[in-house]
Amino acid sequence: MTEAPVLIGVWKQLVGQEPAARTLSSASAAAARIIENQPVAPGAMTHAWLVTGPPGSGRSTAARVFAAALQCSTGTGCGECPGCRTVVAGTHADVKLVAPEGLSISVAEMRSLVQAAARRPTTGRWQVVIIEDADRLTEGASNALLKAVEEPPDRTVFLLCAPSDHPDDVSVTIRSRCRLVTLRTPPAEAIAQVLVERDGIDPERAQWAASVSSGHVGRARRLATDEAARQRRATVLRIPLGLRRPSDVFTCADQLISAAEADAGEESKVRDEAERSELRTAMGGDGTGKGVAGAKRAAEAAVKQLEKRQKSRATRTQRDTLDLALVDLAAFYRDVLVTKSGAGATLNHPDHASEISQAASAWAPDSILRRLEAVLECREAIDLNVKPRIAVEAMVTTLRQG
Ligand SMILES: [Zn+2]
């Protein structure tokens, strides 16, 4: 086995993603040669990319890091120059980020984005558009994007992120116009290492968090740094063995939903407040004189719009958080199943090994499987807009009966 190369500069953020980092860094090196009017091999740089990978593997981080390298004055993604630093901070004028904050990106949003992308880059390098969750594009938005991706302006780069390159996720036509970068589930050691080096987390805690986060970097960081998140995970993992009486079904369903709400609420609160104060600053404070009334009206309208967006984003965060809890739960039953079969595979929840083996000796294989399926069906139902409480209660009923 060859040892993974040491990642430097902004590339350090691509935890456990050395192959993708190599592809993207050689493309950014070619991009730098294009800026300097030097010859490059055909296809060395591409105008449209699709970054895919499992949840938590760092798709949007990969897109941002690549964007930084494209704007880097040394062309390497040094992490030190103003280009790199402003992209990483999210303030570079030529890097536009679309994170669909509601459940999808609107056509109007996409049109204005495509227009902005056609402008010449202000810094003379690249105009970069990052679309997070390109799988949540509506058909209309997708069509608006397609034209730009088909005939990209000279100095424009589109970076699309999606969970997979499955045709259901991203339209076949768009996919066929993009170069594909696939991220893998980062290994636990790589996650632990970044938690220690980047976030200054104590090595023992970092290792534990990495081992129970199923390769989800953000989740590992959260578990390592947030006591409340650790408690919520514990609540979720108490469910499988905690369903004794019929009334436990409702208690557990309730706990699951309120844990997700609390988690999402905390995340939204911090973000919402920051955005409101930013907007207030941008709109200017109180003043007198000509034009003030008009400015006030505009400010009020902007605040209303922001609040609407925040509300729609909160719904989505809540769903995503509930989904994470369901993934944890499914992983528990999967652990029980592999323990039962004696396959000796690595557990998703190694810190719950004794509960897992307790369940493995108590339940028959087909009843474990039914429970696992109930969790997966619940995820699907919520994805299809079934009310979370209804879907969760149906699931917990099966979890109890087996
Ligand atoms: Zn740089």
Side-chain angles (χ1 to χ4, degrees):
M1 219 175 86
T2 51
E3 206 158 297
V6 181
L7 300 177
I8 53 153
V10 291
W11 303 103
K12 269 195 278 199
Q13 295 184 38
L14 299 190
V15 184
Q17 305 293 354
E18 287 77 8
R22 265 198 300 277
T23 306
L24 293 173
S25 65
S26 65
S28 64
R33 292 178 65 84
I34 293 174
I35 300 282
E36 284 152 19
N37 285 318
Q38 306 224 16
V40 291
M45 173 57 191
T46 314
H47 288 266
W49 297 74
L50 175 58
V51 183
T52 71
S57 57
R59 298 182 296 255
S60 54
T61 305
R64 266 175 250 227
V65 163
F66 184 40
L70 290 173
Q71 308 295 13
C72 175
S73 56
T74 72
T76 60
C78 67
E80 305 290 330
C81 71
C84 282
R85 288 219 304 260
T86 49
V87 175
V88 170
T91 54
H92 196 290
D94 294 334
V95 177
K96 313 225 165 15
L97 176 75
V98 184
E101 293 175 333
L103 293 171
S104 58
I105 304 173
S106 76
V107 183
E109 245 178 301
M110 185 55 75
R111 287 221 179 98
S112 77
L113 183 77
V114 165
Q115 265 167 17
R119 285 185 212 126
R120 281 202 69 75
T122 53
T123 58
R125 297 190 76 87
W126 300 89
Q127 192 65 261
V128 183
V129 177
I130 301 175
I131 301 174
E132 283 186 355
D133 299 324
D135 55 311
R136 301 196 193 202
L137 291 178
T138 58
E139 206 186 327
S142 192
N143 288 338
L145 173 65
L146 181 60
K147 187 132 183 47
V149 171
E150 274 178 330
E151 295 159 29
D154 248 10
R155 287 288 177 83
T156 303
V157 181
F158 288 94
L159 306 177
L160 280 60
C161 309
S164 77
D165 68 334
H166 191 272
D168 285 352
D169 274 359
V170 179
S171 90
V172 180
T173 347
I174 288 195
R175 198 161 47 108
S176 68
R177 301 288 189 275
C178 292
R179 187 160 156 198
L180 186 66
V181 174
T182 310
L183 303 180
R184 57 186 181 186
T185 300
E189 313 87 75
I191 297 180
Q193 195 187 342
V194 82
L195 292 184
V196 171
E197 285 174 6
R198 184 190 59 194
D199 304 323
I201 291 162
D202 156 74
E204 203 176 316
R205 172 155 287 173
Q207 226 135 53
W208 166 79
S211 79
V212 301
S213 62
S214 308
H216 196 300
V217 184
R219 176 128 177 88
R221 188 188 310 124
R222 192 81 180 272
L223 284 171
T225 54
D226 180 356
E227 170 61 26
R230 285 194 287 276
Q231 278 181 11
R232 283 190 288 270
R233 171 176 178 268
T235 305
V236 169
L237 293 179
R238 263 198 301 275
I239 292 177
L241 295 178
L243 294 165
R244 296 199 180 82
R245 289 163 300 145
S247 64
D248 290 339
V249 167
F250 298 101
T251 322
C252 283
D254 219 45
Q255 278 172 348
L256 201 54
I257 287 176
S258 42
E261 278 171 1
D263 230 5
E266 239 147 81
E267 223 182 291
S268 303
K269 203 172 79 193
V270 178
R271 228 173 8 186
D272 290 357
E273 268 161 27
E275 281 175 356
R276 266 198 297 274
S277 83
E278 210 173 282
L279 183 65
R280 266 198 297 275
T281 315
M283 288 298 187
D286 302 317
T288 50
K290 239 178 159 185
V292 165
K296 250 196 176 137
R297 268 198 303 280
E300 274 162 22
V303 169
K304 270 219 178 86
Q305 210 177 24
L306 176 69
E307 281 170 353
K308 202 174 130 200
R309 254 183 32 226
Q310 288 178 336
K311 205 172 154 205
S312 134
R313 183 177 62 197
T315 308
R316 186 181 149 195
T317 311
Q318 231 171 67
R319 276 201 215 177
D320 288 353
T321 322
L322 180 58
D323 194 57
L324 267 183
L326 293 175
V327 168
D328 264 348
L329 202 53
F332 182 94
Y333 292 107
R334 175 256 176 211
D335 282 355
V336 175
L337 208 57
V338 297
T339 303
K340 184 95 184 168
S341 71
T346 315
L347 296 182
N348 290 298
H349 300 296
D351 58 343
H352 283 63
S354 78
E355 290 91 331
I356 287 162
S357 62
Q358 194 187 329
S361 43
W363 300 336
D366 58 331
S367 109
I368 303 170
L369 204 56
R370 272 197 298 278
R371 289 177 165 105
L372 175 57
E373 275 164 1
V375 183
L376 301 180
E377 273 163 22
C378 178
R379 289 184 67 196
E380 243 169 75
I382 291 171
D383 199 40
L384 294 171
N385 278 327
V386 173
K387 253 189 161 228
R389 186 168 296 274
I390 293 172
V392 167
E393 278 175 8
M395 170 190 79
V396 182
T397 304
T398 309
L399 295 185
R400 179 170 172 272
Q401 291 160 352

